[in-house]
Amino acid sequence: MIPIAPSLAPAHAPDPFPAARFIREIGRGKHGARSLTRTDAHALYAAMLAGRVSELEMGGIMLAMRIKGESVAEIAGFLDAAEASFVPLTAPAGSYAPVAVPSYNGARKEANLTALLALLLAREGVPVLVHGLAFDPGRTTTAEVFQALGLAPARSRQEAEAVFVRGLPSFITVDVLAPQMAHLLSLRRILGVRNSTHTLVKIMQPFAGPALRLVSYTHPEYRDLLADYFTTAASHERGHVFLMRGTEGETVANATKAQQIEWLHGAERTVLVQKQDLVRELPALPGARDAQTTANWIAAVLRGELAVPAPIAEQVAQCLLVSKALQADPCGQ
């Protein structure tokens, strides 16, 4: 369930977009459907964002894409339109390129430690933007953990940028960062299934300049799709990407077992961290997954009373290396 206010939906559609020809291509089932070109995907998703697609056609498009699955060209076209729909943030000058951390899953079983990752990076001088949902029923969101730590979400792009200067990670909800995308996310409440926007918010580049994006996947087939997109169809001038299997969908390393982290830079794929079944010494973790317990544990780690779990420490170290190199040479591959 994605609790986004209905008021974020476009008020009207003054210029209806004829989507039938696109639905005929993508709506023929898993084996009969054809993928859209990048240009057509851009045109269709831009119309969806602008509220120019009727509710009937919108439902057909989302269900057709859910069954068919996105192609690299469709991801590229959709993301081109998505990133043009909001004003990107500007990070302050410094030793590190900014790091973007999407947080749209939260935690159902284990403590959500995304806030710890963000705070450790910010403590080293990295401008860190965490974007995602304020709350999600049945899950502990990063926003709730930040709130328990005394860090409120930014109410505007300008406020988010001001937080960077204070040396803290900035959290911004998707409805503030990209309200048109937030509306498409909210349609899950009506359709009951995810749509392409759930993938796009996790891979979009929210900064005006080059940044390091931390991207996670849940289903193995998305690993190859996203790797292909970032190495063949993405703009390499916009920064680098770390790709890893998510921890309950979050982009923080699992505290008890190291996931493989791939560094996607230009057309290259480099394995930075090898997969590991279990760490050699299991860390002391929060006793419950609620926001306050998690926040108290994170605060103790930041004070040095508890050790940073080794996989998260390794993730932070790799982020620092690549972020610093990216800032020094934004065009480097």
Side-chain angles (χ1 to χ4, degrees):
M1 301 291 287
I2 305 297
I4 300 297
S7 61
L8 289 174
H12 55 83
D15 182 18
F17 182 83
R21 74 176 182 91
F22 299 99
I23 296 173
R24 280 196 296 270
E25 296 296 314
I26 64 176
R28 299 173 184 268
K30 186 172 182 64
H31 301 293
R34 293 189 290 268
S35 294
L36 302 176
T37 66
R38 184 169 185 165
T39 299
D40 282 349
H42 177 279
L44 177 61
Y45 197 74
M48 292 166 64
L49 288 166
R52 296 174 56 207
V53 176
S54 71
E55 291 183 357
L56 178 62
E57 291 169 307
M58 183 76 81
I61 292 164
M62 289 186 169
L63 290 176
M65 292 303 302
R66 176 74 174 175
I67 294 168
K68 182 185 80 68
E70 301 89 354
S71 68
V72 169
E74 287 166 338
I75 287 289
F78 290 165
L79 197 59
D80 290 341
E83 292 181 342
S85 73
F86 63 88
V87 179
L89 281 75
T90 300
S95 300
Y96 295 97
V99 173
V101 184
S103 183
Y104 290 85
N105 286 68
R108 286 188 299 181
K109 300 176 182 179
E110 304 172 8
N112 178 3
L113 302 184
T114 303
L116 173 63
L117 170 65
L119 285 159
L120 290 171
L121 288 170
R123 187 164 68 176
E124 298 297 324
V126 180
V128 182
L129 178 72
V130 185
H131 57 93
L133 302 175
F135 61 94
D136 195 353
R139 296 173 181 265
T140 302
T141 66
T142 301
E144 292 169 326
V145 176
F146 273 134
Q147 287 273 23
L149 285 163
L151 301 174
R155 294 167 294 183
S156 66
R157 178 175 55 86
Q158 294 80 5
E159 191 171 300
E161 293 171 344
V163 174
F164 297 144
V165 180
R166 293 164 50 200
L168 293 170
S170 180
F171 181 89
I172 190 168
T173 57
V174 65
D175 53 297
V176 175
L177 173 64
Q180 292 177 329
M181 296 184 74
H183 170 61
L184 296 187
L185 280 180
S186 74
L187 298 183
R188 183 185 181 190
R189 290 178 301 169
I190 299 172
L191 294 176
V193 294
R194 293 172 177 261
N195 61 71
S196 299
T197 309
H198 289 83
T199 296
L200 300 176
V201 291
K202 293 182 178 182
I203 66 175
M204 65 183 181
Q205 217 282 47
F207 287 98
L212 172 61
R213 279 172 278 180
L214 306 188
V215 174
S216 66
Y217 61 90
T218 302
H219 303 292
E221 60 268 23
Y222 271 96
R223 173 194 169 193
D224 293 333
L225 173 68
L226 296 178
D228 286 347
Y229 165 72
F230 282 117
T231 55
T232 64
S235 172
H236 298 156
E237 290 73 25
R238 306 210 65 199
H240 297 172
V241 171
F242 281 4
L243 181 63
M244 61 177 282
R245 191 180 187 106
T247 301
E248 291 199 71
E250 290 290 312
T251 55
V252 61
N254 191 303
T256 61
K257 56 182 179 181
Q259 300 105 311
Q260 178 173 293
I261 298 179
E262 288 187 274
W263 172 29
L264 309 181
H265 49 115
E268 302 295 325
R269 295 173 65 173
T270 304
V271 176
L272 295 178
V273 178
Q274 295 287 348
K275 181 179 178 180
Q276 186 177 334
D277 290 335
L278 285 174
V279 297
R280 294 180 180 178
E281 185 175 344
L282 291 178
L285 295 173
R289 67 166 181 83
D290 65 280
Q292 191 60 62
T293 300
T294 304
N296 293 342
W297 181 89
I298 288 174
V301 172
L302 294 173
R303 291 193 300 266
E305 297 168 7
L306 296 171
V308 179
I312 297 178
E314 178 67 18
Q315 185 182 17
V316 169
Q318 296 294 347
C319 286
L320 292 174
L321 287 172
V322 171
S323 173
K324 191 166 189 176
L326 181 60
Q327 184 75 339
D329 183 13
C331 297
Q333 302 300 313

